[in-house]
PDB file of all heavy atoms in Angstrom:
ATOM      1  N   ARG E  14     -50.494  36.006  46.654  1.00 98.00           N
ATOM      2  CA  ARG E  14     -51.232  34.742  46.625  1.00 98.00           C
ATOM      3  C   ARG E  14     -52.108  34.612  45.382  1.00 98.00           C
ATOM      4  O   ARG E  14     -52.146  33.547  44.793  1.00 98.00           O
ATOM      5  CB  ARG E  14     -52.097  34.623  47.880  1.00 98.00           C
ATOM      6  CG  ARG E  14     -51.357  34.455  49.172  1.00 98.00           C
ATOM      7  CD  ARG E  14     -52.221  34.624  50.394  1.00 98.00           C
ATOM      8  NE  ARG E  14     -52.662  36.027  50.452  1.00 98.00           N
ATOM      9  CZ  ARG E  14     -53.718  36.423  51.188  1.00 98.00           C
ATOM     10  NH1 ARG E  14     -54.443  35.596  51.870  1.00 98.00           N
ATOM     11  NH2 ARG E  14     -54.021  37.723  51.204  1.00 98.00           N
ATOM     12  N   ARG E  15     -52.813  35.647  45.013  1.00 98.00           N
ATOM     13  CA  ARG E  15     -53.676  35.565  43.878  1.00 98.00           C
ATOM     14  C   ARG E  15     -52.928  35.263  42.605  1.00 98.00           C
ATOM     15  O   ARG E  15     -53.311  34.395  41.839  1.00 98.00           O
ATOM     16  CB  ARG E  15     -54.454  36.918  43.716  1.00 98.00           C
ATOM     17  CG  ARG E  15     -55.497  36.883  42.609  1.00 98.00           C
ATOM     18  CD  ARG E  15     -56.021  38.234  42.297  1.00 98.00           C
ATOM     19  NE  ARG E  15     -54.988  39.114  41.747  1.00 98.00           N
ATOM     20  CZ  ARG E  15     -54.538  39.080  40.500  1.00 98.00           C
ATOM     21  NH1 ARG E  15     -55.100  38.218  39.608  1.00 98.00           N
ATOM     22  NH2 ARG E  15     -53.596  39.886  40.078  1.00 98.00           N
ATOM     23  N   GLU E  16     -51.817  35.977  42.390  1.00 98.00           N
ATOM     24  CA  GLU E  16     -51.008  35.739  41.189  1.00 98.00           C
ATOM     25  C   GLU E  16     -50.413  34.330  41.196  1.00 98.00           C
ATOM     26  O   GLU E  16     -50.293  33.675  40.161  1.00 98.00           O
ATOM     27  CB  GLU E  16     -49.901  36.757  41.106  1.00 98.00           C
ATOM     28  CG  GLU E  16     -50.404  38.165  40.764  1.00 98.00           C
ATOM     29  CD  GLU E  16     -49.245  39.135  40.530  1.00 98.00           C
ATOM     30  OE1 GLU E  16     -48.076  38.720  40.534  1.00 98.00           O
ATOM     31  OE2 GLU E  16     -49.534  40.320  40.360  1.00 98.00           O
ATOM     32  N   ALA E  17     -50.098  33.817  42.400  1.00 98.00           N
ATOM     33  CA  ALA E  17     -49.539  32.476  42.473  1.00 98.00           C
ATOM     34  C   ALA E  17     -50.598  31.444  42.071  1.00 98.00           C
ATOM     35  O   ALA E  17     -50.316  30.461  41.401  1.00 98.00           O
ATOM     36  CB  ALA E  17     -49.050  32.205  43.930  1.00 98.00           C
ATOM     37  N   GLU E  18     -51.816  31.652  42.507  1.00 98.00           N
ATOM     38  CA  GLU E  18     -52.896  30.701  42.159  1.00 98.00           C
ATOM     39  C   GLU E  18     -53.166  30.753  40.679  1.00 98.00           C
ATOM     40  O   GLU E  18     -53.344  29.694  40.016  1.00 98.00           O
ATOM     41  CB  GLU E  18     -54.168  31.070  42.932  1.00 98.00           C
ATOM     42  CG  GLU E  18     -54.056  30.816  44.434  1.00 98.00           C
ATOM     43  CD  GLU E  18     -55.271  31.364  45.174  1.00 98.00           C
ATOM     44  OE1 GLU E  18     -56.191  31.865  44.527  1.00 98.00           O
ATOM     45  OE2 GLU E  18     -55.314  31.271  46.430  1.00 98.00           O
ATOM     46  N   VAL E  19     -53.215  31.910  40.106  1.00 98.00           N
ATOM     47  CA  VAL E  19     -53.464  32.090  38.660  1.00 98.00           C
ATOM     48  C   VAL E  19     -52.342  31.431  37.849  1.00 98.00           C
ATOM     49  O   VAL E  19     -52.578  30.684  36.898  1.00 98.00           O
ATOM     50  CB  VAL E  19     -53.588  33.563  38.286  1.00 98.00           C
ATOM     51  CG1 VAL E  19     -53.620  33.713  36.753  1.00 98.00           C
ATOM     52  CG2 VAL E  19     -54.873  34.174  38.908  1.00 98.00           C
ATOM     53  N   LEU E  20     -51.099  31.689  38.233  1.00 98.00           N
ATOM     54  CA  LEU E  20     -49.974  31.141  37.494  1.00 98.00           C
ATOM     55  C   LEU E  20     -49.913  29.590  37.627  1.00 98.00           C
ATOM     56  O   LEU E  20     -49.607  28.924  36.676  1.00 98.00           O
ATOM     57  CB  LEU E  20     -48.659  31.727  38.020  1.00 98.00           C
ATOM     58  CG  LEU E  20     -47.334  31.279  37.269  1.00 98.00           C
ATOM     59  CD1 LEU E  20     -47.446  31.583  35.823  1.00 98.00           C
ATOM     60  CD2 LEU E  20     -46.133  31.957  37.923  1.00 98.00           C
ATOM     61  N   PHE E  21     -50.198  29.100  38.824  1.00 98.00           N
ATOM     62  CA  PHE E  21     -50.200  27.659  39.042  1.00 98.00           C
ATOM     63  C   PHE E  21     -51.226  27.009  38.096  1.00 98.00           C
ATOM     64  O   PHE E  21     -50.933  25.997  37.460  1.00 98.00           O
ATOM     65  CB  PHE E  21     -50.573  27.356  40.491  1.00 98.00           C
ATOM     66  CG  PHE E  21     -50.310  25.955  40.936  1.00 98.00           C
ATOM     67  CD1 PHE E  21     -49.107  25.598  41.557  1.00 98.00           C
ATOM     68  CD2 PHE E  21     -51.227  24.938  40.713  1.00 98.00           C
ATOM     69  CE1 PHE E  21     -48.846  24.298  41.979  1.00 98.00           C
ATOM     70  CE2 PHE E  21     -50.992  23.639  41.116  1.00 98.00           C
ATOM     71  CZ  PHE E  21     -49.796  23.329  41.733  1.00 98.00           C
ATOM     72  N   ARG E  22     -52.414  27.599  37.986  1.00 97.00           N
ATOM     73  CA  ARG E  22     -53.459  27.047  37.133  1.00 97.00           C
ATOM     74  C   ARG E  22     -53.037  27.140  35.645  1.00 97.00           C
ATOM     75  O   ARG E  22     -53.194  26.193  34.886  1.00 97.00           O
ATOM     76  CB  ARG E  22     -54.774  27.762  37.302  1.00 97.00           C
ATOM     77  CG  ARG E  22     -55.478  27.456  38.612  1.00 97.00           C
ATOM     78  CD  ARG E  22     -56.949  27.872  38.544  1.00 97.00           C
ATOM     79  NE  ARG E  22     -57.075  29.276  38.266  1.00 97.00           N
ATOM     80  CZ  ARG E  22     -57.186  30.244  39.206  1.00 97.00           C
ATOM     81  NH1 ARG E  22     -57.111  29.892  40.481  1.00 97.00           N
ATOM     82  NH2 ARG E  22     -57.321  31.532  38.861  1.00 97.00           N
ATOM     83  N   ASP E  23     -52.390  28.251  35.260  1.00 98.00           N
ATOM     84  CA  ASP E  23     -51.974  28.445  33.850  1.00 98.00           C
ATOM     85  C   ASP E  23     -50.901  27.456  33.450  1.00 98.00           C
ATOM     86  O   ASP E  23     -50.972  26.837  32.386  1.00 98.00           O
ATOM     87  CB  ASP E  23     -51.461  29.879  33.691  1.00 98.00           C
ATOM     88  CG  ASP E  23     -50.944  30.142  32.301  1.00 98.00           C
ATOM     89  OD1 ASP E  23     -51.642  29.801  31.324  1.00 98.00           O
ATOM     90  OD2 ASP E  23     -49.811  30.648  32.143  1.00 98.00           O
ATOM     91  N   LEU E  24     -49.902  27.284  34.346  1.00 98.00           N
ATOM     92  CA  LEU E  24     -48.792  26.370  34.002  1.00 98.00           C
ATOM     93  C   LEU E  24     -49.160  24.892  34.105  1.00 98.00           C
ATOM     94  O   LEU E  24     -48.405  24.070  33.608  1.00 98.00           O
ATOM     95  CB  LEU E  24     -47.603  26.694  34.909  1.00 98.00           C
ATOM     96  CG  LEU E  24     -46.976  28.066  34.768  1.00 98.00           C
ATOM     97  CD1 LEU E  24     -45.840  28.249  35.797  1.00 98.00           C
ATOM     98  CD2 LEU E  24     -46.459  28.248  33.346  1.00 98.00           C
ATOM     99  N   ARG E  25     -50.268  24.612  34.720  1.00 97.00           N
ATOM    100  CA  ARG E  25     -50.692  23.188  34.816  1.00 97.00           C
ATOM    101  C   ARG E  25     -50.845  22.569  33.444  1.00 97.00           C
ATOM    102  O   ARG E  25     -50.608  21.381  33.284  1.00 97.00           O
ATOM    103  CB  ARG E  25     -52.049  23.112  35.577  1.00 97.00           C
ATOM    104  CG  ARG E  25     -52.572  21.722  35.752  1.00 97.00           C
ATOM    105  CD  ARG E  25     -53.840  21.664  36.590  1.00 97.00           C
ATOM    106  NE  ARG E  25     -54.527  20.443  36.470  1.00 97.00           N
ATOM    107  CZ  ARG E  25     -55.640  20.125  37.098  1.00 97.00           C
ATOM    108  NH1 ARG E  25     -56.224  21.011  37.874  1.00 97.00           N
ATOM    109  NH2 ARG E  25     -56.221  18.922  36.902  1.00 97.00           N
ATOM    110  N   SER E  26     -51.185  23.400  32.464  1.00 97.00           N
ATOM    111  CA  SER E  26     -51.333  22.841  31.077  1.00 97.00           C
ATOM    112  C   SER E  26     -50.007  22.334  30.501  1.00 97.00           C
ATOM    113  O   SER E  26     -50.034  21.594  29.510  1.00 97.00           O
ATOM    114  CB  SER E  26     -51.939  23.916  30.130  1.00 97.00           C
ATOM    115  OG  SER E  26     -51.045  25.026  30.041  1.00 97.00           O
ATOM    116  N   ASP E  27     -48.884  22.746  31.084  1.00 97.00           N
ATOM    117  CA  ASP E  27     -47.566  22.275  30.598  1.00 97.00           C
ATOM    118  C   ASP E  27     -47.191  20.914  31.130  1.00 97.00           C
ATOM    119  O   ASP E  27     -46.211  20.318  30.705  1.00 97.00           O
ATOM    120  CB  ASP E  27     -46.492  23.277  30.991  1.00 97.00           C
ATOM    121  CG  ASP E  27     -46.623  24.626  30.330  1.00 97.00           C
ATOM    122  OD1 ASP E  27     -47.536  24.774  29.462  1.00 97.00           O
ATOM    123  OD2 ASP E  27     -45.849  25.539  30.642  1.00 97.00           O
ATOM    124  N   LEU E  28     -47.906  20.433  32.152  1.00 98.00           N
ATOM    125  CA  LEU E  28     -47.506  19.226  32.886  1.00 98.00           C
ATOM    126  C   LEU E  28     -47.954  17.958  32.154  1.00 98.00           C
ATOM    127  O   LEU E  28     -48.950  17.944  31.440  1.00 98.00           O
ATOM    128  CB  LEU E  28     -48.106  19.255  34.294  1.00 98.00           C
ATOM    129  CG  LEU E  28     -47.840  20.529  35.095  1.00 98.00           C
ATOM    130  CD1 LEU E  28     -48.400  20.357  36.530  1.00 98.00           C
ATOM    131  CD2 LEU E  28     -46.380  20.903  35.132  1.00 98.00           C
ATOM    132  N   ARG E  29     -47.186  16.928  32.380  1.00 97.00           N
ATOM    133  CA  ARG E  29     -47.483  15.590  31.767  1.00 97.00           C
ATOM    134  C   ARG E  29     -47.171  14.475  32.758  1.00 97.00           C
ATOM    135  O   ARG E  29     -46.193  14.510  33.473  1.00 97.00           O
ATOM    136  CB  ARG E  29     -46.595  15.367  30.519  1.00 97.00           C
ATOM    137  CG  ARG E  29     -46.832  16.409  29.398  1.00 97.00           C
ATOM    138  CD  ARG E  29     -48.174  16.253  28.704  1.00 97.00           C
ATOM    139  NE  ARG E  29     -48.337  17.198  27.643  1.00 97.00           N
ATOM    140  CZ  ARG E  29     -48.829  18.434  27.745  1.00 97.00           C
ATOM    141  NH1 ARG E  29     -49.210  18.868  28.968  1.00 97.00           N
ATOM    142  NH2 ARG E  29     -48.955  19.217  26.719  1.00 97.00           N
ATOM    143  N   ALA E  30     -48.073  13.495  32.733  1.00 97.00           N
ATOM    144  CA  ALA E  30     -47.795  12.263  33.528  1.00 97.00           C
ATOM    145  C   ALA E  30     -46.913  11.363  32.697  1.00 97.00           C
ATOM    146  O   ALA E  30     -47.014  11.326  31.479  1.00 97.00           O
ATOM    147  CB  ALA E  30     -49.099  11.560  33.841  1.00 97.00           C
ATOM    148  N   SER E  31     -45.997  10.632  33.353  1.00 96.00           N
ATOM    149  CA  SER E  31     -45.106   9.721  32.648  1.00 96.00           C
ATOM    150  C   SER E  31     -44.508   8.690  33.611  1.00 96.00           C
ATOM    151  O   SER E  31     -44.482   8.948  34.811  1.00 96.00           O
ATOM    152  CB  SER E  31     -43.941  10.501  32.004  1.00 96.00           C
ATOM    153  OG  SER E  31     -43.089  11.026  33.026  1.00 96.00           O
ATOM    154  N   PRO E  32     -44.115   7.537  33.083  1.00 96.00           N
ATOM    155  CA  PRO E  32     -43.437   6.557  33.957  1.00 96.00           C
ATOM    156  C   PRO E  32     -42.208   7.096  34.608  1.00 96.00           C
ATOM    157  O   PRO E  32     -41.912   6.749  35.763  1.00 96.00           O
ATOM    158  CB  PRO E  32     -43.100   5.415  32.962  1.00 96.00           C
ATOM    159  CG  PRO E  32     -44.040   5.584  31.832  1.00 96.00           C
ATOM    160  CD  PRO E  32     -44.277   7.035  31.684  1.00 96.00           C
ATOM    161  N   GLU E  33     -41.501   7.970  33.899  1.00 95.00           N
ATOM    162  CA  GLU E  33     -40.289   8.558  34.429  1.00 95.00           C
ATOM    163  C   GLU E  33     -40.559   9.457  35.634  1.00 95.00           C
ATOM    164  O   GLU E  33     -39.846   9.438  36.624  1.00 95.00           O
ATOM    165  CB  GLU E  33     -39.540   9.355  33.379  1.00 95.00           C
ATOM    166  CG  GLU E  33     -38.937   8.497  32.227  1.00 95.00           C
ATOM    167  CD  GLU E  33     -39.984   8.074  31.214  1.00 95.00           C
ATOM    168  OE1 GLU E  33     -41.133   8.635  31.250  1.00 95.00           O
ATOM    169  OE2 GLU E  33     -39.676   7.205  30.393  1.00 95.00           O
ATOM    170  N   ALA E  34     -41.663  10.238  35.498  1.00 96.00           N
ATOM    171  CA  ALA E  34     -42.026  11.168  36.644  1.00 96.00           C
ATOM    172  C   ALA E  34     -42.422  10.307  37.839  1.00 96.00           C
ATOM    173  O   ALA E  34     -42.066  10.653  38.984  1.00 96.00           O
ATOM    174  CB  ALA E  34     -43.211  12.034  36.203  1.00 96.00           C
ATOM    175  N   ARG E  35     -43.108   9.189  37.613  1.00 96.00           N
ATOM    176  CA  ARG E  35     -43.504   8.328  38.742  1.00 96.00           C
ATOM    177  C   ARG E  35     -42.256   7.675  39.341  1.00 96.00           C
ATOM    178  O   ARG E  35     -42.230   7.450  40.553  1.00 96.00           O
ATOM    179  CB  ARG E  35     -44.487   7.293  38.239  1.00 96.00           C
ATOM    180  CG  ARG E  35     -45.836   7.862  37.799  1.00 96.00           C
ATOM    181  CD  ARG E  35     -46.818   6.791  37.487  1.00 96.00           C
ATOM    182  NE  ARG E  35     -48.106   7.401  37.146  1.00 96.00           N
ATOM    183  CZ  ARG E  35     -49.309   6.752  37.156  1.00 96.00           C
ATOM    184  NH1 ARG E  35     -49.329   5.442  37.454  1.00 96.00           N
ATOM    185  NH2 ARG E  35     -50.406   7.350  36.858  1.00 96.00           N
ATOM    186  N   GLU E  36     -41.287   7.354  38.520  1.00 93.00           N
ATOM    187  CA  GLU E  36     -40.051   6.746  39.067  1.00 93.00           C
ATOM    188  C   GLU E  36     -39.341   7.734  39.975  1.00 93.00           C
ATOM    189  O   GLU E  36     -38.905   7.353  41.067  1.00 93.00           O
ATOM    190  CB  GLU E  36     -39.102   6.318  37.938  1.00 93.00           C
ATOM    191  CG  GLU E  36     -37.790   5.754  38.456  1.00 93.00           C
ATOM    192  CD  GLU E  36     -36.640   5.778  37.430  1.00 93.00           C
ATOM    193  OE1 GLU E  36     -36.880   6.297  36.323  1.00 93.00           O
ATOM    194  OE2 GLU E  36     -35.536   5.345  37.786  1.00 93.00           O
ATOM    195  N   VAL E  37     -39.215   8.982  39.526  1.00 92.00           N
ATOM    196  CA  VAL E  37     -38.517   9.990  40.316  1.00 92.00           C
ATOM    197  C   VAL E  37     -39.290  10.227  41.633  1.00 92.00           C
ATOM    198  O   VAL E  37     -38.713  10.358  42.709  1.00 92.00           O
ATOM    199  CB  VAL E  37     -38.336  11.299  39.570  1.00 92.00           C
ATOM    200  CG1 VAL E  37     -37.724  12.346  40.473  1.00 92.00           C
ATOM    201  CG2 VAL E  37     -37.467  11.072  38.353  1.00 92.00           C
ATOM    202  N   ALA E  38     -40.645  10.268  41.530  1.00 93.00           N
ATOM    203  CA  ALA E  38     -41.430  10.429  42.706  1.00 93.00           C
ATOM    204  C   ALA E  38     -41.194   9.308  43.705  1.00 93.00           C
ATOM    205  O   ALA E  38     -41.060   9.590  44.929  1.00 93.00           O
ATOM    206  CB  ALA E  38     -42.933  10.485  42.339  1.00 93.00           C
ATOM    207  N   ARG E  39     -41.095   8.116  43.240  1.00 92.00           N
ATOM    208  CA  ARG E  39     -40.836   6.969  44.122  1.00 92.00           C
ATOM    209  C   ARG E  39     -39.462   7.106  44.799  1.00 92.00           C
ATOM    210  O   ARG E  39     -39.351   6.895  46.003  1.00 92.00           O
ATOM    211  CB  ARG E  39     -40.855   5.654  43.325  1.00 92.00           C
ATOM    212  CG  ARG E  39     -40.593   4.422  44.167  1.00 92.00           C
ATOM    213  CD  ARG E  39     -40.644   3.178  43.325  1.00 92.00           C
ATOM    214  NE  ARG E  39     -39.580   3.203  42.302  1.00 92.00           N
ATOM    215  CZ  ARG E  39     -38.294   2.947  42.506  1.00 92.00           C
ATOM    216  NH1 ARG E  39     -37.880   2.627  43.719  1.00 92.00           N
ATOM    217  NH2 ARG E  39     -37.429   3.005  41.507  1.00 92.00           N
ATOM    218  N   LEU E  40     -38.471   7.542  44.051  1.00 88.00           N
ATOM    219  CA  LEU E  40     -37.146   7.713  44.592  1.00 88.00           C
ATOM    220  C   LEU E  40     -37.129   8.836  45.641  1.00 88.00           C
ATOM    221  O   LEU E  40     -36.473   8.701  46.678  1.00 88.00           O
ATOM    222  CB  LEU E  40     -36.134   8.044  43.484  1.00 88.00           C
ATOM    223  CG  LEU E  40     -35.807   6.870  42.522  1.00 88.00           C
ATOM    224  CD1 LEU E  40     -34.958   7.385  41.367  1.00 88.00           C
ATOM    225  CD2 LEU E  40     -35.066   5.746  43.269  1.00 88.00           C
ATOM    226  N   VAL E  41     -37.825   9.922  45.358  1.00 88.00           N
ATOM    227  CA  VAL E  41     -37.901  11.052  46.308  1.00 88.00           C
ATOM    228  C   VAL E  41     -38.524  10.608  47.619  1.00 88.00           C
ATOM    229  O   VAL E  41     -38.076  10.920  48.714  1.00 88.00           O
ATOM    230  CB  VAL E  41     -38.675  12.188  45.697  1.00 88.00           C
ATOM    231  CG1 VAL E  41     -39.009  13.270  46.775  1.00 88.00           C
ATOM    232  CG2 VAL E  41     -37.898  12.842  44.565  1.00 88.00           C
ATOM    233  N   LEU E  42     -39.595   9.789  47.532  1.00 89.00           N
ATOM    234  CA  LEU E  42     -40.329   9.377  48.698  1.00 89.00           C
ATOM    235  C   LEU E  42     -39.682   8.240  49.460  1.00 89.00           C
ATOM    236  O   LEU E  42     -39.992   8.006  50.637  1.00 89.00           O
ATOM    237  CB  LEU E  42     -41.775   8.959  48.299  1.00 89.00           C
ATOM    238  CG  LEU E  42     -42.627  10.163  47.839  1.00 89.00           C
ATOM    239  CD1 LEU E  42     -43.949   9.625  47.239  1.00 89.00           C
ATOM    240  CD2 LEU E  42     -42.887  11.149  48.963  1.00 89.00           C
ATOM    241  N   THR E  43     -38.751   7.515  48.826  1.00 85.00           N
ATOM    242  CA  THR E  43     -38.129   6.380  49.528  1.00 85.00           C
ATOM    243  C   THR E  43     -36.642   6.658  49.813  1.00 85.00           C
ATOM    244  O   THR E  43     -35.977   5.754  50.381  1.00 85.00           O
ATOM    245  CB  THR E  43     -38.190   5.111  48.640  1.00 85.00           C
ATOM    246  OG1 THR E  43     -37.594   5.316  47.356  1.00 85.00           O
ATOM    247  CG2 THR E  43     -39.630   4.688  48.439  1.00 85.00           C
ATOM    248  N   GLN E  44     -36.154   7.810  49.522  1.00 77.00           N
ATOM    249  CA  GLN E  44     -34.718   8.105  49.753  1.00 77.00           C
ATOM    250  C   GLN E  44     -34.494   8.118  51.300  1.00 77.00           C
ATOM    251  O   GLN E  44     -35.386   8.432  52.087  1.00 77.00           O
ATOM    252  CB  GLN E  44     -34.340   9.479  49.178  1.00 77.00           C
ATOM    253  CG  GLN E  44     -35.256  10.592  49.553  1.00 77.00           C
ATOM    254  CD  GLN E  44     -34.565  11.723  50.289  1.00 77.00           C
ATOM    255  OE1 GLN E  44     -33.402  11.672  50.511  1.00 77.00           O
ATOM    256  NE2 GLN E  44     -35.319  12.738  50.607  1.00 77.00           N
ATOM    257  N   LYS E  45     -33.301   7.755  51.688  1.00 68.00           N
ATOM    258  CA  LYS E  45     -32.938   7.674  53.087  1.00 68.00           C
ATOM    259  C   LYS E  45     -31.707   8.540  53.323  1.00 68.00           C
ATOM    260  O   LYS E  45     -30.593   8.077  53.227  1.00 68.00           O
ATOM    261  CB  LYS E  45     -32.653   6.240  53.482  1.00 68.00           C
ATOM    262  CG  LYS E  45     -33.880   5.322  53.333  1.00 68.00           C
ATOM    263  CD  LYS E  45     -33.563   3.878  53.714  1.00 68.00           C
ATOM    264  CE  LYS E  45     -34.790   2.996  53.704  1.00 68.00           C
ATOM    265  NZ  LYS E  45     -35.412   2.991  52.363  1.00 68.00           N
ATOM    266  N   PRO E  46     -31.922   9.836  53.629  1.00 61.00           N
ATOM    267  CA  PRO E  46     -30.815  10.739  53.911  1.00 61.00           C
ATOM    268  C   PRO E  46     -29.924  10.234  55.016  1.00 61.00           C
ATOM    269  O   PRO E  46     -30.433   9.751  56.009  1.00 61.00           O
ATOM    270  CB  PRO E  46     -31.456  12.065  54.268  1.00 61.00           C
ATOM    271  CG  PRO E  46     -32.820  12.013  53.672  1.00 61.00           C
ATOM    272  CD  PRO E  46     -33.186  10.520  53.733  1.00 61.00           C
ATOM    273  N   GLN E  47     -28.597  10.302  54.776  1.00 60.00           N
ATOM    274  CA  GLN E  47     -27.654   9.878  55.825  1.00 60.00           C
ATOM    275  C   GLN E  47     -27.877  10.645  57.104  1.00 60.00           C
ATOM    276  O   GLN E  47     -27.938  11.862  57.093  1.00 60.00           O
ATOM    277  CB  GLN E  47     -26.224  10.110  55.302  1.00 60.00           C
ATOM    278  CG  GLN E  47     -25.139   9.613  56.231  1.00 60.00           C
ATOM    279  CD  GLN E  47     -23.748   9.853  55.688  1.00 60.00           C
ATOM    280  OE1 GLN E  47     -23.598  10.266  54.528  1.00 60.00           O
ATOM    281  NE2 GLN E  47     -22.723   9.597  56.455  1.00 60.00           N
ATOM    282  N   GLY E  48     -28.030   9.916  58.204  1.00 56.00           N
ATOM    283  CA  GLY E  48     -28.207  10.536  59.471  1.00 56.00           C
ATOM    284  C   GLY E  48     -29.636  10.772  59.900  1.00 56.00           C
ATOM    285  O   GLY E  48     -29.916  11.129  61.036  1.00 56.00           O
TER     286      GLY E  48
END
């Protein structure tokens, strides 16, 4: 757990907000799996 927390914080610097990321997020949250 400790290493996971440290790595999560470290890799956060690689992340970027973008319109494309928001579009994919919308698709993920509105998808309707068959069945």
Side-chain angles (χ1 to χ4, degrees):
R14 290 168 293 164
R15 184 192 64 80
E16 290 185 6
E18 292 173 3
V19 170
L20 183 58
F21 194 95
R22 288 197 302 269
D23 177 49
L24 295 178
R25 180 177 166 180
S26 62
D27 294 355
L28 310 184
R29 299 289 182 272
S31 69
E33 292 78 12
R35 293 187 176 198
E36 178 201 2
V37 176
R39 180 183 61 79
L40 289 172
V41 168
L42 293 171
T43 58
Q44 52 121 358
K45 297 178 175 60
Q47 183 179 353

